[in-house]
């Protein structure tokens, strides 16, 4: 999606929104700041004698400029920094999703990069070749993943046919689908 222009990215998001709606989702909010870059009006520099002759940083002139410069602030809104620190899982219960029927040569890092391009930021763990456990910070994220990518073949590299996804409910201890591979289920039980 990074190689597509602004029009291609918007088209991909609207296609994903349509798939999401067909599967019963009620809300779709893309979180990629790149899709909104340079759409906000520029902020005026502060006025007054103390600011004469000084220009504020580019990010203050245009709040969306930070997204174009790959500027990621530290703190609660930087999801990638939270995952890198490991703090996302220390105080909260893990939320699981699974994906299977992917190509056997797909690696966890490659899958994670693909999902990051589509605004999903899980920790990916390979269970078997072509089967992965995804760990999300929030329950709704794992459910959104399962709804968005189930029975798809256009985003993830499949082993023929369509990718299969499901989310795990910590409250009930059940999957959103019945046909979960046994090794995937056993891995989630070990990780809990």
């Amino acid at each position: 999606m990074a190689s597509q222009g602004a029009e291609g990215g918007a088209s991909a998001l609207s296609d994903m929104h349509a798939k999401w709606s067909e599967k019963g989702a009620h809300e779709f909010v893309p979180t990629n700041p790149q899709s909104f870059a340079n759409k906000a009006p520029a902020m005026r520099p502060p006025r007054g004698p103390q600011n004469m002759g000084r220009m504020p940083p580019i990010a203050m002139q245009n709040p969306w400029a930070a997204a174009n410069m790959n500027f990621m602030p530290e703190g609660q809104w930087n999801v990638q920094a939270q995952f890198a620190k490991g703090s996302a899982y220390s105080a909260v219960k893990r939320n699981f999703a699974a994906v299977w029927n992917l190509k056997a040569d797909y690696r966890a890092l490659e899958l994670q990069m693909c999902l990051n391009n589509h605004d999903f930021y899980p920790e990916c763990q390979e269970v078997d070749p072509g089967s992965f456990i995804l760990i999300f910070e929030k329950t709704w994220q794992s459910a959104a993943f399962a709804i968005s990518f189930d029975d798809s073949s256009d985003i993830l590299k499949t082993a023929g046919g369509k990718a299969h996804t499901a989310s795990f409910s910590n409250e009930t201890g059940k999957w959103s689908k019945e046909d979960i591979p046994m090794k995937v289920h056993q891995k989630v039980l070990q990780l809990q």
Side-chain angles (χ1 to χ4, degrees):
M1 198 159 113
S3 64
Q4 297 175 349
E7 298 296 321
S11 174
L13 284 175
S14 66
D15 292 347
M16 188 174 280
H17 177 262
K19 287 180 185 177
W20 225 60
S21 295
E22 288 172 9
K23 294 178 182 178
H26 300 289
E27 184 177 353
F28 179 80
V29 181
T31 58
N32 183 357
Q34 296 288 347
S35 63
F36 302 106
N38 294 324
K39 298 219 169 60
M43 294 174 58
R44 290 190 352 212
R47 297 181 186 253
Q50 71 275 15
N51 293 312
M52 299 279 294
R54 286 189 282 162
M55 287 295 289
I58 290 175
M60 287 181 67
Q61 293 175 27
N62 181 351
W64 298 107
N68 289 337
M69 296 184 313
N70 291 328
F71 170 75
M72 291 297 287
E74 291 296 323
Q76 71 183 28
W77 303 111
N78 186 347
V79 175
Q80 291 171 330
Q82 286 181 358
F83 279 94
K85 292 179 193 171
S87 65
Y89 304 121
S90 59
V92 295
K93 202 166 199 176
R94 295 175 170 193
N95 297 284
F96 300 99
V99 59
W100 65 97
N101 197 35
L102 300 181
K103 283 193 172 185
D105 63 348
Y106 226 158
R107 296 291 158 240
L109 183 60
E110 185 181 3
L111 175 61
Q112 189 164 351
M113 300 284 284
C114 178
L115 294 175
N116 287 351
N117 288 336
H118 293 283
D119 296 328
F120 290 97
Y121 302 96
E123 174 190 329
C124 300
Q125 293 187 12
E126 186 172 6
V127 178
D128 268 339
S131 300
F132 295 87
I133 294 290
L134 310 175
I135 305 170
F136 290 93
E137 181 180 352
K138 306 277 186 196
T139 304
W140 67 265
Q141 294 168 331
S142 61
F145 167 79
I147 291 170
S148 298
F149 290 95
D150 192 34
D151 294 330
S152 67
S153 59
D154 53 345
I155 296 172
L156 303 174
K157 295 188 290 184
T158 65
K162 298 185 182 231
H164 300 291
T165 63
S167 61
F168 183 78
S169 170
N170 287 322
E171 291 79 29
T172 64
K174 294 185 179 179
W175 289 92
S176 61
K177 278 185 146 180
E178 298 285 327
D179 59 341
I180 304 297
M182 184 53 73
K183 285 187 178 182
V184 170
H185 181 70
Q186 289 171 343
K187 181 71 172 180
V188 166
L189 294 178
Q190 288 175 356
L191 292 172
Q192 280 187 319

